[in-house]
Amino acid sequence: MNRLTTSQGAFQLTRFPEHPRDPFRAWDAADEYLLRRLTDPEAGPVDLSGAVAVVGDRWGALTTALAAHRPVQISDSYLARCATQANLERNGADPAAARLLTSRETPPDRVDVLLIRVPKSLAYLEDQLHRIAPAVHAGTVVVAAGMVKEIHTSTLKLFERIIGPTRTSLAVRKARLIFCTPDPALPRTPSPWPHRYALPADVGPVSGRTVVNHAGIFCAERLDIGTRFFLGHLPARTGADRVVDLGCGNGVLGLAAALGNPQAHLTFTDESYAAVASAEETFRASAPDGARADFLVGDGIADLAPGSADLVLNNPPFHSHQATTDATARTMFLGARAALRQGGELWVVGNRHLAHHTRLRRIFGNCTTVAGDPKFVVLRAVKR
């Protein structure tokens, strides 16, 4: 547990799920810079008596520090939502102190103070700015924060195009603020997301099928090379299998499993609300008649009954925002083992250098390399 001390108070904060060996804090210098600016006597404190919205709060640090002002938090991350709830409770805040909305829900009608953590995905930022722009008025204070490496010319152009004139602060501890003055004369146009594209003609059962991508999904404009490699080496199965697409993204792997085995029952799960929405729309657009599927937003595979799955397909991420970590893969592998029946299989694709085989052997007691090239490997682990 870590302690964040700000002019708003001191707060005990953790990420979610908590792990005693997690080396990362639940906030960074950009969060501190933004909170400090809100009470800066030289620049003038920001009036927080109106409607406050916080977009993209990564682990609830901003929402928890501003709980007294009853903010609305808008997030695409189930884990960020859980972290926010836990951090509010940990710091004695009223459970109703913050209204937590997902990225797929309708934003507030009016926002007087808009605070944004600049996300890794420019597409996600574009989508969220379009969605919240109608709630912004000429008097709205708009402040965004990010680390210097997260803020680019393209970032500033998005604010300029969708909200209004934009300027940046000096960098402090490698963090920077963005100040945007709303221009009511700018047209409030709908978000251009989701995007759709047809899969290539050489990727097995899903060849030529339509993929739907909401903003922020990895490789939203094309099939990523890791998934392409995996599609060429998926297991051929028949019968009423329970198949899980774990960390489903846009759902291409699960769709391939459904097309290859129409009797299978699919479960698509991801911690991103936009990802699960993408997977569901991809499945509805291209699945065979009568195909069955569930769509779950959650912490990995934790909501599945133990011993209920026959096959888990997984292309695990190895980044948490800007940090490189294998913690997410570890959680996914442990969850998969719990969800699989005896004899059930976990199939994983990953960059060769990540050495997933070592962790799979520790968790499952076995791991087989199904296929590999200079960049990727497909691994298979069986629950004994």
Side-chain angles (χ1 to χ4, degrees):
M1 188 179 296
N2 292 289
R3 186 177 181 86
L4 169 64
T5 301
T6 72
S7 55
Q8 290 83 9
F11 306 93
Q12 300 285 352
L13 303 172
T14 66
R15 295 188 174 206
F16 184 91
E18 291 185 53
H19 192 282
R21 291 182 294 175
D22 185 356
F24 302 113
R25 298 186 308 183
W27 76 93
D28 62 15
D31 294 314
E32 292 180 293
Y33 198 177
L34 177 53
L35 290 171
R36 190 163 57 250
R37 171 61 190 89
L38 296 179
T39 58
D40 185 349
E42 292 187 11
V46 174
D47 181 3
L48 298 173
S49 61
V52 179
V54 182
V55 177
D57 193 1
R58 295 182 179 179
W59 302 104
L62 298 175
T63 304
T64 301
L66 298 174
H69 304 284
R70 309 189 75 81
V72 174
Q73 183 199 77
I74 301 172
S75 175
D76 186 55
S77 169
Y78 173 85
L79 298 182
R81 185 186 181 97
C82 290
T84 301
Q85 292 170 326
N87 284 324
L88 286 168
E89 181 179 354
R90 181 178 292 113
N91 290 278
D94 179 350
R99 181 183 171 204
L100 307 184
L101 299 180
T102 75
S103 61
R104 310 313 311 149
E105 293 180 289
T106 302
D109 293 332
R110 178 186 174 92
V111 174
D112 300 307
V113 178
L114 176 59
L115 308 176
I116 300 173
R117 267 310 308 257
V118 175
K120 183 177 179 180
S121 167
L122 196 65
Y124 178 72
L125 177 62
E126 177 187 36
D127 178 69
Q128 290 303 300
L129 289 178
H130 273 294
R131 290 169 64 84
I132 206 165
V136 172
H137 55 86
T140 300
V141 175
V142 181
V143 187
M147 302 307 290
V148 169
K149 62 184 178 182
E150 298 170 330
I151 298 175
H152 311 284
T153 301
S154 54
T155 311
L156 305 180
K157 286 182 177 178
L158 269 185
F159 279 93
E160 292 266 3
R161 176 166 60 85
I162 301 172
I163 303 295
T166 300
R167 62 185 177 85
T168 61
S169 72
L170 296 174
V172 175
R173 294 176 54 208
K174 300 183 180 179
R176 194 182 296 278
L177 300 179
I178 298 171
F179 303 102
C180 189
T181 303
D183 180 357
L186 286 176
R188 302 309 189 196
T189 57
S191 171
W193 295 87
H195 289 184
R196 292 169 171 81
Y197 66 84
L199 289 164
D202 58 349
V203 288
V206 294
S207 295
R209 303 280 177 161
T210 298
V211 177
V212 181
N213 291 277
H214 285 276
I217 304 306
F218 180 63
C219 278
E221 306 289 351
R222 65 192 184 284
L223 182 65
D224 74 275
I225 56 176
T227 298
R228 174 189 274 273
F229 184 71
F230 203 2
L231 287 170
H233 301 283
L234 291 178
R237 300 173 69 102
T238 59
D241 277 354
R242 293 297 300 255
V243 180
V244 181
D245 187 347
L246 174 57
C248 61
N250 58 23
V252 170
L253 293 176
L255 176 62
L259 290 165
N261 179 13
Q263 293 178 284
H265 187 129
L266 271 294
T267 296
F268 295 83
T269 180
D270 202 293
E271 75 98 17
S272 160
Y273 293 92
V276 173
S278 300
E280 183 166 5
E281 292 183 44
T282 295
F283 189 81
R284 303 300 181 207
S286 299
D289 292 340
R292 298 170 296 163
D294 303 313
F295 303 89
L296 303 176
V297 179
D299 180 13
I301 205 169
D303 293 330
L304 267 69
S308 63
D310 298 288
L311 174 66
V312 176
L313 305 175
N314 184 215
N315 182 358
F318 58 95
H319 288 95
S320 177
H321 301 293
Q322 295 292 340
T324 300
T325 175
D326 65 352
T328 302
R330 178 181 181 276
T331 298
M332 287 179 159
F333 299 163
L334 287 168
R337 188 181 188 283
L340 285 166
R341 63 167 176 79
Q342 295 298 120
E345 300 178 3
L346 169 64
W347 285 56
V348 175
V349 67
N351 292 74
R352 182 179 289 277
H353 73 272
L354 296 175
H356 286 322
H357 61 282
T358 301
R359 189 170 293 281
L360 286 170
R361 287 195 183 102
R362 290 175 185 162
I363 294 172
F364 283 82
N366 66 91
C367 179
T368 304
T369 300
V370 175
D373 67 9
K375 187 171 180 63
F376 296 103
V377 288
V378 174
L379 305 172
R380 170 180 172 265
V382 181
K383 184 174 179 178
R384 305 297 189 191

